[in-house]
């Protein structure tokens, strides 16, 4: 049986989110000229743009992932308020460098801004919708998409050379290190 680790949802601000990435927002807003601000998106492959529909499914999860070759980016287009769980990036070359449960935080997504994860930032596989029916997001991603996923409840992991096409990922056993399911709380 797994333990439940509660994570309090906090506001997503430029300062609170800085250890994990950046918000997509204009740094300057002059009234007399247009400004183009850097979005911080980087990719080690081909850029892909997709649309995600995320239905309301509750506020519990047990998996986190990180991407090695992309600063994955999300922009909420519509729908209910949503939350994303994150943990700081760890060494991309150290596959056992998995965040401890107390390092995971949860942010209420500011739907007026997108957000960009730093390479290696651990994050929930889904955005968690606070009320039915769900929400729609744009995702900027990559092909190939080398990814590591950890299942905290089962103490296992998978490392994919490409998340979309690798049918035989490397398996990892975390030797009962975690045994945790996460619950997001307001």
């Amino acid at each position: 049986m797994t333990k439940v680790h509660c994570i309090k949802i906090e506001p997503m601000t430029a300062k609170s989110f800085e250890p994990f990435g950046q918000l997509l927002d204009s740094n300057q807003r002059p009234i007399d000229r247009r400004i183009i601000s850097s979005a911080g998106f980087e990719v080690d492959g081909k850029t892909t743009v997709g649309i995600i529909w995320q239905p309301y499914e509750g506020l519990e999860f047990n998996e986190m992932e990180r991407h090695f070759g992309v600063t994955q980016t999300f922009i909420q287009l519509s729908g209910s308020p949503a939350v994303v769980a994150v943990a700081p990036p760890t060494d991309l070359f150290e596959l056992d460098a998995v965040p401890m449960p107390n390092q995971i935080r949860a942010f209420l997504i500011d739907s007026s801004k997108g957000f960009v994860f730093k390479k290696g930032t651990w994050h929930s596989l889904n955005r968690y919708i606070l009320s039915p029916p769900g929400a729609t997001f744009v995702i900027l991603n990559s092909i190939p998409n080398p990814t590591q996923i950890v299942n905290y409840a089962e103490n296992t992991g998978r490392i994919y050379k490409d998340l979309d096409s690798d049918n035989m990922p490397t398996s990892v056993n975390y030797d009962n290190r975690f045994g945790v399911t996460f619950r997001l709380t307001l």
Side-chain angles (χ1 to χ4, degrees):
M1 183 168 166
T2 63
K3 298 175 281 187
V4 174
H5 182 83
C6 292
I7 304 171
K8 185 168 176 51
I9 299 168
E10 56 189 287
M12 180 184 275
T13 66
K15 183 174 178 157
S16 68
F17 196 70
E18 194 281 326
F20 316 103
Q22 72 180 58
L23 300 185
L24 296 177
D25 196 14
S26 182
N27 304 3
Q28 304 171 26
R29 297 179 185 208
I31 60 171
D32 60 343
R33 69 185 191 285
R34 180 177 76 149
I35 297 289
I36 298 176
S37 300
S38 171
F41 180 76
E42 299 174 19
V43 62
D44 294 344
K46 178 182 170 188
T47 300
T48 64
V49 179
I51 305 295
I52 298 172
W53 164 253
Q54 180 66 57
Y56 172 78
E57 296 179 311
L59 300 176
E60 289 193 9
F61 66 99
N62 57 27
E63 290 185 313
M64 296 283 283
E65 69 181 344
R66 67 174 171 168
H67 305 284
F68 299 101
V70 64
T71 56
Q72 204 174 52
T73 301
F74 294 88
I75 303 163
Q76 186 169 352
L77 295 177
S78 64
S80 303
V83 175
V84 65
V86 296
T90 55
D91 186 335
L92 294 174
F93 300 103
E94 179 54 53
L95 300 180
D96 198 41
V98 175
M100 295 304 293
N102 64 355
Q103 293 179 282
I104 299 172
R105 294 171 63 186
F107 290 101
L108 179 63
I109 296 167
D110 180 344
S111 62
S112 72
K113 300 170 180 61
F115 57 95
V116 179
F117 291 126
K118 294 177 181 177
K119 281 185 183 178
T121 294
W122 291 91
H123 60 88
S124 53
L125 281 61
N126 294 329
R127 268 56 39 221
Y128 296 94
I129 312 306
L130 295 182
S131 63
T136 303
F137 297 85
V138 170
I139 179 173
L140 301 176
N141 212 346
S142 70
I143 296 175
N145 186 3
T147 301
Q148 181 176 3
I149 298 176
V150 173
N151 185 312
Y152 282 82
E154 297 176 2
N155 296 295
T156 60
R158 300 175 309 280
I159 301 168
Y160 296 86
K161 293 176 185 161
D162 178 31
L163 188 58
D164 292 327
S165 67
D166 186 354
N167 296 324
M168 295 182 13
T170 302
S171 295
V172 181
N173 182 339
Y174 294 107
D175 298 320
N176 297 317
R177 187 186 315 178
F178 307 113
V180 170
T181 295
F182 301 100
R183 179 180 300 142
L184 303 173
T185 62
L186 297 173

